[in-house]
Amino acid sequence: PRSAMDHQPKFFENLSGTGKAIGVLTSGGDAQGMNAAVRAVVRMGIYVKAKVYFVYEGYQGMVDGGDNIVEVSWESVSSILQVGGTVIGSARCKSFRTREGRLQAAYNLVQRGITNLCVIGGDGSLTGANLFREEWSGLLEELAQKGKIDEDAVKKYAYLNIVGMVGSIDNDFCGTDMTIGTDSALHRIIEVVDAIMTTAQSHQRTFVLEVMGRHCGYLALVSALACGADWVFIPEYPPEEGWEDSMCVKLSENRARKKRLNIIIVAEGAIDCHNKPITSEKVKDLVVQRLGFDTRVTILGHVQRGGTPSAFDRILASRMGVEAVLALLEATPATPACVVSLSGNQAVRLPLMECVQMTQEVQKAMDEGRFVEAVRLRGRSFENNLNTYKLLSHKKPDAELPKTNFNVAVLNVGAPAAGMNAAVRAAVRVGITEGHKMFAVIDGFEGFARGKIKEISWGYVGGWTGQGGSILGTKRTLPAKYLEKIADQMRTNNINALMVIGGFEAYLGLLELSAAREKYDEFCVPMVMVPATVSNNVPGSDFSIGADTALNTITDTCDRIKQSASGTKRRVFIIETMGGYCGYLANMGALAAGADAAYIFEEQFDIRELQANVEHLTEKMKTSIQRGLVLRNENCNENYTTDFIYQLYSEEGKGVFDCRKNVLGHMQQGGAPSPFDRNFGTKISAKAMQWISKKLNETYRKGKVFANTDDSVCLLGMRRRNLVFQPVAELKNETDFVHRIPKEQWWLKLRPLMKILAKYKTSYDVSDSGQLEHVAMHSPKEAETGAI
């Protein structure tokens, strides 16, 4: 519901920060990605000609003043993007909790004319900031009475604006799907779990892992989802009475099924339904006493806060940093202090106190034993995770499963993408739970034609979430030339529905199969596609499974390359990424690695642009940052090849910088899937399977399934805030089939952000941002529309 005046586009460069001063601080527990947020705030602030100040050591530095509050330049935030923690420091501050402390802080800010604060921290830090804002005019009055500042200053600096960004690895803040640092903490946990799995399998051991989260079970829950843990304990959802028995039964059943290891994940704040703590030691003792299993406890502790931020956190923090500066420039005395956050894939602004109140409501609900309410208050993303975990971790006894007599086949199509196996596992397990027989097709449509198809059990897909590549095997072959044979196989095996997990070929394949419905009744069944490709070039979805893992590979490699360059000085690296004609990996990789330029097919460039980039790098070499990084998508231009650009830069940069080139190649398709891809793959696939069940029931008539309408061949994609089923026929108009990319791509809007952060002048359309929303209490029904 936008009003008529919203139609004029709003451009970032038209907003002026002249005469404004912004202070940026990090407070509370540190989180990976805080530095990326600080960097974005500083550079965006300077870009609109505001002054930007670091406040060192959080609120403590604000109270102490002096050298703790310093004006910063563009170069001050160079090279911090890839560093974990916070370079400006964070401290727990007692004095800021007193009025005297806040009085001193107000004095220090007024001295420097700072009336805009960007606070990056947890709910405690943000609550403190809001109190400070409410007291501001009173504090200034008091300073004037004491003769510390004059009446002019009271008038000139009458209002304090506050914008918060939530940096907290726990993801415990209501109103935001992901807080800065959560994804990186999940990376640390998953790295540990993957490592433990190999040793546990050798010894048939049980491992109890304790992860952080005193009041919030998000990390425990998502890591349990991402590694297929046998049991998870979280504060919001305590186990039922007698959980000791059911857990032990489950563990011993798994052993009987020849599953060599058990993993139990415990959040540090886990409780039972009487609000008594459940500790990792207690769980271990229980397993040893009752089952005699060899059991070990690993407490992850501060490892989870450490390490370099993931690609997701760097991009999230950079996007939020821009939003924060925008919100400060647009703030008025009448607007409430706000938090910038992400809902699905959409940046939003929310009133800070509404979020804080809701976060406190969760704690209150838990203290009072209203656990169903607590889960609901956490938001639809949390609720979705919990429902999916419950669905996938416990197999009901065969006697309790419904029998539908439907057979559903799952196949992988296209190039391998990390997270495909997690998607297959979720599909198989949800299908079995819904009462279907699940069949796996080996080697895509080609294998299908050759009859490489077999029934697959619940246990068969155990341990698949963490495996990279495609275990079922995948081929790029399209079905058109095998239609007859595939129809035969569908008939022979009595397949009533198809689930295709793959990239652009999977989409083309479904189009071909639905076109063949006129000729073959066998294809008149529900079919659904789940997008999985590193290129992220499938129409109808903002994200595809595997792209996040590839992005992390690119980012890690760029970090290493930048490090090698900081030794040699004056060196520019040209790095070629995959993606076909889709520039997603090159563009987002450049944003996450802090590159100077990214050449992509979607934005035509010519020799003048190349020349401008060389001149830009020549200027950069005169500063303290003596290295450059340039990404090039493999198909961005048929004549300006990686070699050509390398040779051009080498020639033009003679005497100023030298040049090296790197083609990343297939390492981008490999590797263990990232937490995001495991979680996204699992949830999107489970949802697709539930859709298949619904469609099967709708189209079952007179003893057979018959579906021949467009809405029975769908692609399930993430669009902004929701998971949406879209008929592939309708997506045709949105597709550029020659270059195998969608005609419109959301991430192109972030392209100017990368350029501004690399110090280019550019036009940046920010019409999308800015409406202050309210924290919505969602209805239980809505959890199914699926936030990720």
Side-chain angles (χ1 to χ4, degrees):
R2 291 185 169 251
S3 60
M5 48 177 274
D6 282 338
H7 289 310
Q8 279 82 33
K10 180 168 74 177
F11 291 102
F12 190 75
E13 63 277 12
N14 296 346
L15 294 164
S16 164
T18 314
K20 294 192 176 181
I22 299 172
V24 54
L25 69 147
T26 53
S27 169
D30 68 315
Q32 307 94 321
M34 281 183 164
N35 291 326
V38 168
R39 169 179 177 266
V41 171
V42 168
R43 292 194 167 171
M44 287 316 218
I46 292 173
Y47 188 77
V48 292
K49 301 193 172 47
K51 286 185 168 183
V52 186
Y53 290 81
F54 276 168
V55 179
Y56 285 103
E57 313 307 332
Y59 289 119
Q60 192 62 55
M62 203 192 289
V63 176
D64 296 346
D67 295 344
N68 290 305
I69 308 176
V70 213
E71 190 180 347
V72 288
S73 69
W74 192 272
E75 274 97 53
S76 310
V77 289
S78 162
S79 314
I80 67 171
L81 185 63
Q82 61 268 37
V83 181
T86 161
V87 293
I88 55 176
S90 171
R92 306 251 176 235
C93 175
K94 289 226 170 69
S95 49
F96 192 74
R97 296 195 169 161
T98 65
R99 181 156 171 114
E100 290 73 59
R102 292 192 292 275
L103 193 66
Q104 188 55 42
Y107 174 72
N108 292 332
L109 293 183
V110 168
Q111 288 304 97
R112 296 165 180 80
I114 301 172
T115 54
N116 295 281
L117 279 186
C118 177
V119 184
I120 308 165
D123 56 346
S125 318
L126 298 180
T127 313
N130 194 60
L131 175 65
F132 190 39
R133 179 181 188 230
E134 284 170 359
E135 288 183 353
W136 182 259
S137 51
L139 292 170
L140 294 199
E141 291 292 338
E142 195 175 322
L143 287 169
Q145 279 161 13
K146 291 188 173 167
K148 285 202 164 182
I149 59 174
D150 55 28
E151 283 301 329
D152 287 353
V154 178
K155 287 198 189 80
K156 190 176 174 190
Y157 303 122
Y159 300 107
L160 177 69
N161 297 316
I162 291 210
V163 172
M165 272 188 265
V166 194
S168 144
I169 64 167
D170 294 343
N171 202 15
D172 56 358
F173 196 78
C174 290
T176 167
D177 281 355
M178 280 299 255
T179 57
I180 296 166
T182 307
D183 188 66
S184 302
L186 287 171
H187 271 263
R188 295 301 92 79
I189 296 170
I190 295 303
E191 281 155 20
V192 172
V193 175
D194 285 354
I196 278 177
M197 282 211 173
T198 49
T199 159
Q201 289 204 314
S202 318
H203 298 283
Q204 290 207 18
R205 282 202 173 126
T206 297
F207 271 87
V208 180
L209 289 180
E210 183 180 305
V211 302
M212 283 186 166
R214 266 191 309 253
H215 307 293
C216 176
Y218 185 90
L219 290 177
L221 178 56
V222 175
S223 47
L225 249 185
C227 69
D230 296 285
W231 204 275
V232 64
F233 293 98
I234 58 172
E236 294 87 346
Y237 185 75
E240 291 161 10
E241 286 283 7
W243 60 268
E244 296 88 347
D245 300 331
S246 27
M247 182 180 83
C248 291
V249 167
K250 166 133 202 250
L251 295 179
S252 48
E253 271 177 7
N254 278 344
R255 280 293 159 94
R257 285 204 206 113
K258 295 283 186 288
K259 184 178 173 196
R260 293 181 64 90
L261 86 159
N262 302 114
I263 287 197
I264 300 165
I265 294 184
V266 185
E268 58 180 334
I271 46 176
D272 63 18
C273 50
H274 305 295
N275 258 326
K276 298 269 182 300
I278 297 177
T279 62
S280 38
E281 280 301 325
K282 182 175 166 185
V283 175
K284 174 195 157 173
D285 295 343
L286 187 76
V287 176
V288 173
Q289 280 159 15
R290 297 220 185 165
L291 301 170
F293 290 173
D294 183 2
T295 307
R296 298 278 187 275
V297 172
T298 302
I299 295 174
L300 295 191
H302 282 75
V303 166
Q304 294 162 84
R305 289 192 186 279
T308 171
S310 65
F312 183 94
D313 272 333
R314 298 182 196 195
I315 291 165
L316 171 67
S318 303
R319 285 172 75 178
M320 295 302 102
V322 183
E323 284 291 324
V325 171
L326 264 173
L328 283 173
L329 293 178
E330 295 179 348
T332 66
T335 50
C338 74
V339 198
V340 291
S341 80
L342 204 64
S343 167
N345 187 27
Q346 179 71 18
V348 291
R349 285 183 207 173
L350 301 163
L352 189 146
M353 284 323 284
E354 283 186 24
C355 299
V356 170
Q357 274 149 6
M358 194 134 147
T359 307
Q360 289 165 352
E361 284 291 313
V362 180
Q363 193 52 49
K364 209 169 129 211
M366 287 179 348
D367 294 343
E368 293 169 11
R370 293 178 287 122
F371 295 109
V372 177
E373 183 76 357
V375 169
R376 210 181 84 194
L377 286 163
R378 275 267 179 251
R380 55 180 196 159
S381 167
F382 188 90
E383 196 166 0
N384 241 330
N385 282 315
L386 185 58
N387 292 340
T388 312
Y389 177 77
K390 290 195 288 203
L391 208 57
L392 297 175
S393 58
H394 303 286
K395 181 180 192 291
K396 289 186 181 147
D398 289 343
E400 287 177 30
L401 288 174
K403 282 278 176 288
T404 61
N405 295 323
F406 290 134
N407 295 345
V408 181
V410 181
L411 66 159
N412 290 160
V413 175
M420 277 183 161
N421 301 320
V424 173
R425 168 183 176 266
V428 167
R429 292 197 166 176
V430 173
I432 290 172
T433 306
E434 309 247 311
H436 314 317
K437 271 191 182 164
M438 296 303 297
F439 288 80
V441 176
I442 315 298
D443 295 340
F445 288 121
E446 200 173 307
F448 207 164
R450 296 199 183 133
K452 291 184 172 175
I453 179 169
K454 58 177 185 199
E455 193 182 336
I456 192 168
S457 68
W458 178 282
Y460 187 79
V461 290
W464 277 29
T465 37
Q467 305 288 323
S470 159
I471 298 173
L472 291 183
T474 180
K475 284 262 195 296
R476 288 178 178 271
T477 325
L478 292 170
K481 55 179 182 182
Y482 298 117
L483 288 173
E484 185 84 32
K485 288 182 171 165
I486 295 176
D488 282 348
Q489 289 299 329
M490 300 261 302
R491 194 169 52 250
T492 314
N493 295 288
N494 191 20
I495 300 298
N496 309 110
L498 273 190
M499 172 148 167
V500 185
I501 300 164
F504 204 84
E505 285 86 2
Y507 166 65
L508 293 175
L510 280 193
L511 285 171
E512 289 180 1
L513 290 180
S514 66
R517 279 175 162 182
E518 293 170 30
K519 197 170 167 195
Y520 301 98
D521 274 2
E522 288 83 356
F523 299 135
C524 294
V525 296
M527 304 187 218
V528 69
M529 170 184 165
V530 168
T533 164
V534 297
S535 307
N536 196 21
N537 62 333
V538 176
S541 190
D542 286 1
F543 297 117
S544 56
I545 300 166
D548 183 71
T549 305
L551 212 45
N552 276 296
T553 304
I554 293 168
T555 310
D556 290 348
T557 312
C558 288
D559 285 354
R560 292 185 184 192
I561 288 171
K562 272 169 85 168
Q563 220 161 18
S564 85
S566 64
T568 31
K569 294 274 194 297
R570 296 178 181 252
R571 180 163 280 179
V572 174
F573 281 90
I574 292 158
I575 295 169
E576 180 185 305
T577 68
M578 279 184 161
Y581 284 97
C582 175
Y584 180 81
L585 290 178
N587 189 67
M588 300 309 256
L591 188 54
D596 295 285
Y599 299 116
I600 59 173
F601 168 76
E602 291 88 348
E603 192 174 286
Q604 300 283 296
F605 59 97
D606 57 18
I607 195 76
R608 286 181 291 279
E609 180 132 1
L610 290 168
Q611 186 181 351
N613 291 147
V614 172
E615 286 164 7
H616 191 88
L617 284 164
T618 309
E619 281 306 303
K620 189 178 175 184
M621 296 298 160
K622 293 177 186 165
T623 69
S624 55
I625 320 167
Q626 300 187 340
R627 50 145 210 271
L629 188 64
V630 174
L631 272 65
R632 176 188 175 275
N633 158 275
E634 55 184 355
N635 289 348
C636 63
N637 186 306
E638 57 180 331
N639 293 315
Y640 296 148
T641 60
T642 302
D643 283 328
F644 175 90
I645 293 178
Y646 162 68
Q647 286 167 339
L648 179 85
Y649 273 57
S650 299
E651 179 61 34
E652 296 295 317
K654 264 190 190 156
V656 185
F657 56 80
D658 62 355
C659 224
R660 293 287 183 275
K661 66 173 198 252
N662 245 8
V663 176
L664 297 186
H666 280 77
M667 61 190 281
Q668 294 164 87
Q669 281 180 5
S674 66
F676 181 91
D677 279 331
R678 295 181 193 196
N679 192 5
F680 182 56
T682 299
K683 283 205 273 196
I684 193 171
S685 173
K687 197 170 159 66
M689 201 62 225
Q690 290 166 328
W691 177 88
I692 283 182
S693 298
K694 190 175 113 231
K695 283 290 173 210
L696 281 169
N697 291 330
E698 286 171 14
T699 57
Y700 184 69
R701 293 283 172 277
K702 298 182 183 151
K704 67 178 287 221
V705 171
F706 187 78
N708 67 345
T709 52
D710 281 350
D711 66 356
S712 60
V713 190
C714 278
L715 179 148
L716 173 56
M718 170 88 181
R719 278 278 171 100
R720 282 196 151 177
R721 301 191 187 192
N722 293 309
L723 287 173
V724 208
F725 289 95
Q726 303 145 98
V728 288
E730 287 174 18
L731 291 172
K732 269 196 206 162
N733 299 333
E734 296 179 23
T735 311
D736 168 355
F737 285 100
V738 179
H739 300 105
R740 304 158 55 96
I741 51 175
K743 287 178 186 167
E744 285 194 15
Q745 303 184 82
W746 68 274
W747 52 266
L748 281 167
K749 284 199 170 150
L750 294 183
R751 193 154 163 81
L753 168 58
M754 183 211 91
K755 292 184 182 172
I756 292 174
L757 291 174
K759 216 172 184 174
Y760 283 92
K761 288 272 177 275
T762 183
S763 183
Y764 187 12
D765 183 346
V766 288
S767 317
D768 258 11
S769 67
Q771 269 65 35
L772 189 71
E773 303 183 9
H774 291 286
V775 185
M777 262 299 299
H778 72 285
S779 60
K781 182 109 195 71
E782 202 191 302
E784 289 156 26
T785 59
I788 289 303

